[in-house]
Amino acid sequence: MLVTKPAEEFDAVVIGAGFSGIYMLHQLRKLGLRARLFEAGEGVGGAWYWNRYPGARCDSESYFYCFFFSDEILQEWTWSERFPAQPEIERYLNFVTDRLDLRKDMTFNARVTAAAYDEDTKRWTVETTAGDKVTARYVVTAIGGLTSTATNLPNIPGIEDFKGEWYHTGHWPKEGVDFSGKRVGVIGTGSTGIQAVPEIAKTAKHLTVFQRTPAYIMPAKNHPLTEEYNAAIKANYAEIKAKVRTHWGGQPYDAPPYSFEEMDLAKARKVQEEFWDAGGLKVIQAFKEGTRVPAVREFMEEFFRDKVRSIVKDPVKAEILEPKGYPMGAKRIALDTNYYETFNLPHVDVVNVKKTPITNFTETGVMVGDKEYPLDILVLATGYDAVTGPFRKMDIRGRGGIKLAERLEDGPRAYLGMSFAGFPNLLAISGPCNPALSTNVPASIEHDVEWITDLIQYCEKEGFTAVEPTQEAEDEWTEETQSKAADSVFTEADSWQFGSNVPGKPRRFLIWLGGLHMFRERCEEVTKAGYKGFKFTR
Ligand code: NA7
């Protein structure tokens, strides 16, 4: 039975202990506010706590997939690999938590289920699965956009009939899964499936990959970092930080060096080959014209298909795996380590489930058309009900009892991707209509946390009891989010970014596509104009 704990009063509640929650709690403490953080997991990490599937690894390079707000932490922490794996990021976030002595204000194993605003007391009441019922003047959601609370299970009948083990990658058991000697099936070939497949293949007796859409995949070319490299990075953090702050995607990369138009195809191919060899997200950043220019994009698409044909020896498998049917960039591009090579192993197969969809699960496997694939373990790498999903899982009620879940039913809406009309003092880090998920996420998170901190500080200083955006400001930002997406290549495919991976979810773009550098400017303009678009109550 759930025992309700005695009510406690806080200035602020933070929901979630990933990158966002950790930094937000630190900032609130610095403001001198009494804050409490609730986290569903047993420990800190957020997405990096739950995503323990084999091969889970970051697609951003470690030296900039981190907090920049503390020079001390930048100097004290040393990354071991170019692209950090889940355990290392989890260790990093634990290190930061302890370094800032945040744990004492965190409650674990407590999933927030409800938050309701009382217009008389001007306080939120927040409830958790652990029986907490606390009140606070501010609530900051630090729940992430792709999270374990809102995993996307495929709408294929019969999962309950399957007698083997099955796991969603976003809820991976802490103790791991033993694939040895087992017939394993993986459904889903997004970033997650692409990372998991080579690792599962190492021990499984047989692996069948059920692929609906072939992704465009770049080689990570991951490697351990040397002492010299780390020393050079640490000596250079001021410059790196400045670049992160001014880059579209929050990455400290220089602008593409070459002009596609000014070279012949043979030269372009040589250049592209060099970028391929360097690996990482820079692979598609060789040409100034960028992939929005169809000629550049088509050149690269063909380059990627050639690569698949040259790596995968079986032409039938290669044909299934070749990315096609939509333009590159219309779905997230993934990084791999030995993904294509894995299909050269005799015990690894790929099945095209776009051509013949999965019809149902049986007690013993998966039916594709009239053929059954017998399985002992099924891995669902089928993604998330992104961005709005995690908000809609909580019962959040604002003025007059309006429900945030209902407000978000028709698609994402928020002002600056951080605030909601009718929900005073509810602030969201990387909320709907925010650029975070199109960028190096920690860089966006740092921005949002700092902007929210300034807003709260302003309220405290001015003696305002409540701040919320006007309906008009929220509507405008919401529409701007859609119009930016309408001009983008994303319109040309189904993706989680458009909500089209979840049956019944409206096709509305979830992310503000103006780039982090422009978002920073827009938020600054709002601040300088006396928090334009917000209304304050004393
Ligand atoms: P994604 O990118 O949403 O990928 C999910 C994959 O699962 C994708 O290949 C889907 O195919 C596939 N899928 C989903 N439902 C089905 C059904 N019913 N049948 C067959 N295949 C299906 O999730 P990830 O976890 O890989 O990555 C999410 C983000 O996390 C990623 O973008 C990074 O930012 C980190 P589809 O493409 O829809 O045809």
Side-chain angles (χ1 to χ4, degrees), residues 51 53 59 146 152-156 168-169 187-194 210-214 331-333 353-354 358 381-384 437 494-497 500-501:
N51 277 269
Y53 62 85
D59 281 356
L146 299 155
N152 179 38
L153 295 178
N155 65 336
I156 299 168
H168 188 284
T169 48
I187 300 181
T189 53
S191 312
T192 301
I194 288 160
F210 299 93
Q211 174 202 273
R212 190 161 66 184
T213 309
K331 289 164 86 74
R332 194 179 183 285
I333 294 168
V353 297
K354 176 156 270 165
I358 300 171
T382 44
Y384 299 89
L437 290 177
D494 286 335
S495 62
W496 61 257
Q497 288 88 339
S500 35
N501 61 333

Side-chain angles (χ1 to χ4, degrees), residues 156-436:
I156 299 168
I159 191 75
E160 62 289 346
D161 298 334
F162 182 60
K163 293 274 194 290
E165 299 164 44
W166 69 269
Y167 307 92
H168 188 284
T169 48
H171 271 295
W172 205 257
K174 234 176 164 176
E175 61 282 8
V177 176
D178 183 6
F179 294 107
S180 48
K182 299 283 171 55
R183 296 162 305 174
V184 183
V186 173
I187 300 181
T189 53
S191 312
T192 301
I194 288 160
Q195 292 182 337
V197 161
E199 292 303 312
I200 295 172
K202 284 180 183 166
T203 51
K205 183 167 108 191
H206 191 272
L207 173 61
T208 311
V209 178
F210 299 93
Q211 174 202 273
R212 190 161 66 184
T213 309
Y216 287 90
I217 307 171
M218 305 185 267
K221 306 274 179 180
N222 186 35
H223 53 74
L225 301 177
T226 61
E227 257 180 56
E228 297 73 41
Y229 175 91
N230 279 325
I233 288 288
K234 287 187 186 190
N236 211 17
Y237 258 128
E239 194 187 323
I240 294 167
K241 187 172 172 174
K243 281 186 172 173
V244 163
R245 286 188 171 245
T246 49
H247 186 270
W248 193 99
Q251 300 157 343
Y253 291 154
D254 294 323
Y258 297 104
S259 167
F260 183 77
E261 284 163 9
E262 286 168 19
M263 59 176 71
D264 60 27
L265 277 182
K267 171 83 172 116
R269 210 181 152 83
K270 197 161 168 279
V271 164
Q272 189 55 58
E273 199 70 52
E274 278 166 24
F275 274 68
W276 175 273
D277 288 343
L281 297 169
K282 271 202 281 194
V283 168
I284 56 163
Q285 297 180 25
F287 302 111
K288 289 188 174 96
E289 291 82 355
T291 53
R292 282 176 71 102
V293 174
V296 179
R297 192 171 63 221
E298 284 158 21
F299 163 80
M300 279 192 208
E301 288 171 359
E302 200 43 45
F303 181 91
F304 275 78
R305 283 191 282 271
D306 270 357
K307 283 291 176 196
V308 180
R309 288 190 286 262
S310 72
I311 301 169
V312 181
K313 298 204 168 70
D314 176 342
V316 178
K317 288 183 189 174
E319 201 277 325
I320 296 173
L321 292 163
E322 270 175 37
K324 55 182 169 296
Y326 65 99
M328 190 180 79
K331 289 164 86 74
R332 194 179 183 285
I333 294 168
L335 291 194
D336 85 300
T337 299
N338 295 332
Y339 179 67
Y340 292 127
E341 288 82 351
T342 300
F343 292 92
N344 289 332
L345 300 170
H347 68 292
V348 180
D349 287 324
V350 58
V351 179
N352 180 346
V353 297
K354 176 156 270 165
K355 200 164 148 201
T356 312
I358 300 171
T359 43
N360 62 291
F361 299 108
T362 64
E363 284 191 9
T364 47
V366 169
M367 288 300 291
V368 179
D370 55 10
K371 178 167 180 185
E372 185 182 25
Y373 289 83
L375 300 173
D376 303 308
I377 303 180
L378 178 61
V379 174
L380 300 176
T382 44
Y384 299 89
D385 177 356
V387 182
T388 49
F391 284 95
R392 298 191 68 225
K393 293 282 175 190
M394 290 184 288
D395 183 10
I396 299 181
R397 298 181 190 217
R399 284 191 194 283
I402 50 167
K403 296 181 183 176
L404 189 60
E406 284 177 8
R407 296 275 292 157
L408 298 175
E409 207 172 302
D410 297 333
R413 56 167 43 255
Y415 180 43
L416 302 178
M418 291 189 275
S419 59
F420 307 96
F423 295 82
N425 292 8
L426 175 72
L427 297 158
I429 304 161
S430 319
C433 307
N434 184 284

